[in-house]
Amino acid sequence: MIPAGFEYAAPESLDEAISLLGQGGDDAKLLAGGHSLLPLMKLRFAAPGTLIDLRKVPGLSGIERANGGVRIGAMTRHAELQVSDLGLPATAAHQIADQQVRNRGTIGGSLAHGDPASDLPTVLLAMDGGVTARGANGERSIAAGELFQDYLTTSLGDDEVITDVRLPSMEGYGHAYLKFARRAEDWAMVGVAALVKAEGGTFSDVRIGLTHMGTTPLRATQVEQALVGQPVEAGRIRAAAEAAAEGTDPPGDLNATPDYKRHLARVMTRRAVAQAAGL
Ligand SMILES: Cc1cc2nc3c(=O)[nH]c(=O)nc-3n(C[C@H](O)[C@H](O)[C@H](O)COP(=O)(O)OP(=O)(O)OC[C@H]3O[C@@H](n4cnc5c(N)ncnc54)[C@H](O)[C@@H]3O)c2cc1C
C-alpha cells in the first residue's frame, strides 16, 4: 500500500504543466483528484517518476453556459457537478461512490482515466459531448466517440492536458441515469444513461449510453434507432430495450457474469428510457 518514490511538481500555469509533462515523457503523470491514480500507485500497478499536480493551475474549474452549450472545467469536482442544474451529468455525478470521493474526484480525471466502469464517460458519450485538450502543439477538440479507445486507454497524447469538457445544453430532453451495484457506493456492475426528446407523443431523439458493458463506454444504437419515430409507449420501449446488449462485450467479474450484465442492460435500459420519457 506504499507507492514507489516519485518527484512532485505543482505548476502555477497550464504552459508550465504542459512543459513539465513534455519533459517527463512516459514517466510523468498529471494528478487531479488522485482518486484513481493514487490507488493504482499504492498497488504498484502504476509507478510514475513525476506527478504534476493541477491544483494550482488557474482557470481549470467551474461550470459555464455559453453559445447554447455548457463548458465544465477539467478540475471541476464531482461534488460541484452533482449540485449543478445540468440534468444528466448532475444525476450521474450524484451516484459516484460516496461524498468523500465526490469531494476530490474531478471530471477531467474521470474522463482521462478511461475506465468503462466509471459513470461520467458514459454521460459524455450519451450526450455527444467532447473535451478540449491542450499540448505542446496547441489545442484540439476530441469528441467522446474518439476519446475512449480501449480499457483505461484514451486518444490523449502523452503531453496533453484536458482543459475543459463541452456538452450540448440538451434543452427539452428528459433524462435518467440508473446504476446497478451491490452497495450504493460501489462501481456500476452496469449503468445506463438515457436522454429522450418527444414531440407530439413520438420519440424524435433517443440516446442511450452503457457503463461497464465493454472495454469502453458504449451506445445502445439498436435501441435508439428502434425508438426514434415511434410513439412514447411502455410496450414499444420494452420491445426495443431487448436489443440493449447487442454489440456489447461485458467483462465478467466477481459481481456478475457477462450474461447477467446483458440481462441487466436490457432491464435497466427499459427502465431508464421509461423514466426519461416520464412514464
Ligand atoms: C473508493 C472509490 C470508489 C469510486 N467509485 C466510483 C464510481 O462509482 N464511479 C465513478 O465514475 N468513479 C468512481 N471512482 C473514481 C473517481 O470518480 C475518480 O476520482 C475519477 O475516476 C478520477 O478522477 P481524479 O480527479 O481523482 O483523477 P486522478 O486519479 O488524479 O487521475 C486519473 C488519471 O487521469 C489523468 N488526468 C487527471 N486529470 C487530467 C487532465 N485534466 N488531463 C489529462 N489527464 C488527466 C491522470 O494523469 C491519471 O492518469 C471511485 C474512486 C474511489 C477511490
Side-chain angles (χ1 to χ4, degrees), residues 33 35 61-63 72-87 89-108 110 120:
H35 270 50
S61 281
I63 300 171
I72 306 172
M75 286 293 283
T76 305
R77 312 269 174 195
H78 306 326
E80 191 178 341
L81 207 53
Q82 84 180 43
V83 295
S84 72
D85 61 356
L86 292 185
T91 304
H94 185 70
Q95 296 179 57
I96 295 175
D98 50 32
Q99 194 60 44
Q100 202 177 355
V101 172
R102 297 196 290 266
N103 284 341
R104 301 295 309 163
T106 66
I107 188 168
S110 177
L120 297 178

Side-chain angles (χ1 to χ4, degrees), residues 29-39 54 60 74-75 77-78 95-98 101 104-113 117-121 156 160-163 179 185-188:
K29 274 274 177 204
L30 294 171
L31 177 68
H35 270 50
S36 288
L37 183 56
L38 295 187
L54 290 175
L60 292 183
M75 286 293 283
R77 312 269 174 195
H78 306 326
Q95 296 179 57
I96 295 175
D98 50 32
V101 172
R104 301 295 309 163
T106 66
I107 188 168
S110 177
L111 300 176
H113 192 55
S118 285
D119 303 296
L120 297 178
L156 284 169
E160 284 185 314
V161 181
I162 295 179
T163 55
K179 181 168 167 175
E185 68 274 23
D186 278 351
W187 298 86

Side-chain angles (χ1 to χ4, degrees), residues 118-187:
S118 285
D119 303 296
L120 297 178
T122 305
V123 168
L124 190 77
L125 189 68
M127 293 181 81
D128 283 328
V131 299
T132 310
R134 178 101 74 90
N137 294 325
E139 192 170 273
R140 66 183 178 121
S141 296
I142 310 174
E146 317 270 289
L147 181 64
F148 307 111
Q149 302 274 304
D150 204 344
Y151 183 69
L152 302 187
T153 307
T154 68
S155 56
L156 284 169
D158 279 346
D159 74 337
E160 284 185 314
V161 181
I162 295 179
T163 55
D164 60 44
V165 179
R166 305 274 173 169
L167 299 173
S169 79
M170 309 305 290
E171 217 171 300
Y173 282 75
H175 79 271
Y177 187 74
L178 302 185
K179 181 168 167 175
F180 194 86
R182 282 191 193 277
R183 297 170 305 173
E185 68 274 23
D186 278 351
W187 298 86

